[in-house]
Amino acid sequence: MEREVLENMSSAELVKLLKEDPSLSSKFDEYSLWSKIITWSYLLAEQPQFADKCDKWEEFSAWDWYELFDQPQFEEKAKQYPSGWAAILTQKPELARDCDKWEEFSAEDWSWLLESRPQFADKCDKWEKFSAEDWSSLLKFQPQFADMRNKQI
């Protein structure tokens, strides 16, 4: 595939291409295309061998990490990041005692975690930072937190 064609592709197009033909990774090296990838979790969920090319781990949301957990090797990597821990705790709440990132969770991480694991509400220190979207999503699954929302208004 020609350099110009690859360089003009969007992140989504590049990811689709690599998912379909991983052998094109040599072109990504040659043309320095790895930095164009935004949606790393979509690529790594199907092609985990490219993990060493990813330089955007800190930008992953809890959902991005969650998408990777079909690949068990990503759990240890996730423990390095607050959003990674939020995703881990939705699946393995028994690991809460090992989490060292509570204070670093974003409001989005908290909303996402509390949707499925309301038992961690006492650890949440970001209630006042929840967006309307965070509240809407959380209250859909955990209406008992409506009182917390009313305190923030």
Side-chain angles (χ1 to χ4, degrees):
M1 191 164 270
E2 289 187 32
R3 181 181 194 139
E4 188 177 335
V5 172
L6 289 168
E7 287 178 340
N8 287 316
M9 289 181 139
S10 69
S11 171
E13 291 168 326
L14 291 169
V15 166
K16 183 175 188 252
L17 198 62
L18 272 176
K19 285 166 73 173
E20 292 171 356
D21 186 0
S23 71
L24 287 172
S25 65
S26 62
K27 297 290 185 191
F28 279 65
D29 292 331
E30 184 180 347
Y31 305 147
S32 301
L33 296 172
W34 295 108
S35 63
K36 289 190 69 171
I37 295 179
I38 297 168
T39 53
W40 275 99
S41 63
Y42 297 117
L43 174 60
L44 296 175
E46 291 188 33
Q47 300 291 346
Q49 72 270 24
F50 297 129
D52 65 324
K53 303 291 186 182
C54 180
D55 63 353
K56 301 213 172 23
W57 298 105
E58 68 281 347
E59 296 174 18
F60 280 30
S61 68
W63 179 255
D64 292 326
W65 285 109
Y66 180 80
E67 288 290 295
L68 292 179
F69 289 159
D70 284 342
Q71 307 284 341
Q73 70 269 31
F74 289 118
E75 185 175 316
E76 283 308 307
K77 186 76 168 172
K79 290 179 180 177
Q80 297 173 33
Y81 302 94
S83 293
W85 266 110
I88 289 169
L89 294 171
T90 63
Q91 298 299 304
K92 299 179 177 180
E94 67 276 9
L95 295 181
R97 68 188 173 286
D98 299 329
C99 179
D100 61 354
K101 305 284 187 207
W102 295 107
E103 294 80 26
E104 299 175 52
F105 282 12
S106 67
E108 183 183 351
D109 293 334
W110 276 114
S111 174
W112 201 78
L113 174 60
L114 295 173
E115 282 177 21
S116 61
R117 300 294 176 187
Q119 68 266 36
F120 295 128
D122 63 325
K123 294 184 179 298
C124 181
D125 61 353
K126 302 282 187 328
W127 296 107
E128 72 284 351
K129 297 190 185 218
F130 278 31
S131 68
E133 184 180 335
D134 293 331
W135 280 114
S136 176
S137 184
L138 176 60
L139 294 176
K140 181 169 50 174
F141 295 98
Q142 303 294 342
Q144 72 271 25
F145 290 125
D147 288 344
M148 290 302 293
R149 181 175 190 266
N150 293 338
K151 288 180 188 176
Q152 306 307 316
I153 295 176

